Amino acid sequence: MKADEGGQAPSIARVYDYLLGGKDNYPVDREIGDHFKVNLPGSAAIAHTNRGALIRAVRALGRGGVRQFVDLGSGLPTADNVHQVAQRHQPGAAVVQVDTDPTVLAHGRALLAEDDTTTIIEGDVRDPGTIRHHPETEQLIGFGQPVGVILSAVPHHLNDDEDPAGIVRYWAEPIAPGGYVFISHFRSGHNEQTEAAQAKLIGTFGRGRWRTDAEPRALFGTLTLRPPGIVPAFQWHPDASEEPRTPTVWEQLIAAGLARKA
């Protein structure tokens, strides 16, 4: 899609922000978001159910003693951002947020200006070495201690030839035993909804790869997948306060999993 009159091209991060009810987006982003809201009613649930699983995962890691996080493709700040959840359960937790979107970087730097244990850096997930060896990463993250690596709604934006498994493996290798990798990923539904949503993302951004449950499971490599394994994000450790119900077809289209390094 072409840029709008303000010169802005649509951004995955800003479309996601719009679907979550945020305000840090442009008309060109809202046009994409409205396509999902209007033409694919109920599809915004993908963003919301993914966000819920991310919050629960970071909460679990913080409660489990993890005090360092690398949040790859962090997106725009929202309520209960990764650093907020982590520090709620581990005061002073170190968090490196990584993104390429200028809006994300600007808002993140403003938000984190007075936070000495959290930073946001510009980095492309496809170039993990530059991220890992960035001076701010090296200052905050000690890979000799457990680290929580977050790849929330990121691997499905990597095409097969960009080696998503190799990128996950790059991060899994240096983290100490007791570290974790969290992944959420578009999940093939083999239905019209999957095909329509995938076609819109690929047509707009040139990427957006739905995969079977076995494929994101393989991304974890030799890491030990924690119960309940790869499941729809809606069903990944739901809060006890939530009434049991059957997830909608849209809520079933993103899966989540958490794996530990032994």
Side-chain angles (χ1 to χ4, degrees):
M1 174 173 287
K2 296 180 180 179
D4 65 7
E5 294 179 357
Q8 291 289 341
S11 154
I12 292 170
R14 296 194 307 266
V15 172
Y16 188 61
D17 172 72
Y18 177 61
L19 292 174
L20 288 172
K23 299 180 180 179
D24 297 318
N25 45 72
Y26 297 102
V28 69
D29 307 305
R30 295 191 285 276
E31 180 183 345
I32 304 300
D34 285 339
H35 172 85
F36 286 98
K37 290 182 175 182
V38 176
N39 298 325
L40 301 172
S43 61
I46 298 176
H48 288 279
T49 193
N50 177 71
R51 191 73 188 181
L54 169 62
I55 291 169
R56 297 193 299 275
V58 175
R59 181 179 65 196
L61 295 186
R63 288 177 176 175
V66 176
R67 294 182 51 81
Q68 304 183 105
F69 296 83
V70 177
D71 183 12
L72 298 162
S74 57
L76 282 155
T78 66
D80 281 338
N81 205 11
V82 166
H83 75 281
Q84 294 168 322
V85 178
Q87 293 173 355
R88 188 177 304 144
H89 300 283
Q90 284 289 339
V95 182
V96 173
Q97 301 177 356
V98 184
D99 213 294
T100 58
D101 188 284
T103 303
V104 172
L105 296 168
H107 282 263
R109 286 165 180 157
L111 178 67
L112 302 173
E114 298 181 3
D115 188 335
D116 293 336
T117 62
T118 302
T119 190
I120 185 165
I121 64 174
E122 182 176 3
D124 190 321
V125 68
R126 296 169 296 182
D127 184 13
T130 297
I131 296 169
R132 180 182 166 192
H133 297 293
H134 190 285
E136 293 182 48
T137 305
E138 293 184 334
Q139 178 181 352
L140 286 177
I141 305 297
F143 286 95
Q145 298 295 322
V147 178
V149 177
I150 307 297
L151 286 147
S152 175
V154 168
H156 54 233
H157 293 302
L158 296 170
N159 296 325
D160 291 345
D161 61 2
E162 292 170 324
D163 192 17
I167 291 170
V168 176
R169 185 168 58 250
Y170 179 92
W171 287 105
E173 287 176 351
I175 61 176
Y180 289 84
V181 174
F182 173 80
I183 291 174
S184 61
H185 197 296
F186 287 151
R187 178 173 180 261
S188 295
H190 304 292
N191 53 36
E192 294 179 1
Q193 290 89 345
T194 301
E195 293 174 3
Q198 180 172 263
K200 183 62 176 178
L201 285 178
I202 292 176
T204 303
F205 301 109
R207 54 184 64 248
R209 171 79 158 77
W210 266 249
R211 293 182 171 99
T212 66
D213 287 351
E215 290 175 293
R217 184 180 296 114
L219 296 179
F220 287 108
T222 60
L223 297 174
T224 303
L225 196 61
R226 308 298 292 173
I230 302 290
V231 296
F234 177 85
Q235 297 173 319
W236 194 88
H237 292 286
D239 289 328
S241 60
E242 294 182 12
E243 291 290 332
R245 64 176 176 84
T246 301
T248 67
V249 65
W250 293 108
E251 289 171 329
Q252 296 180 53
L253 290 187
I254 189 159
L258 179 69
R260 184 178 187 271
K261 185 166 184 178

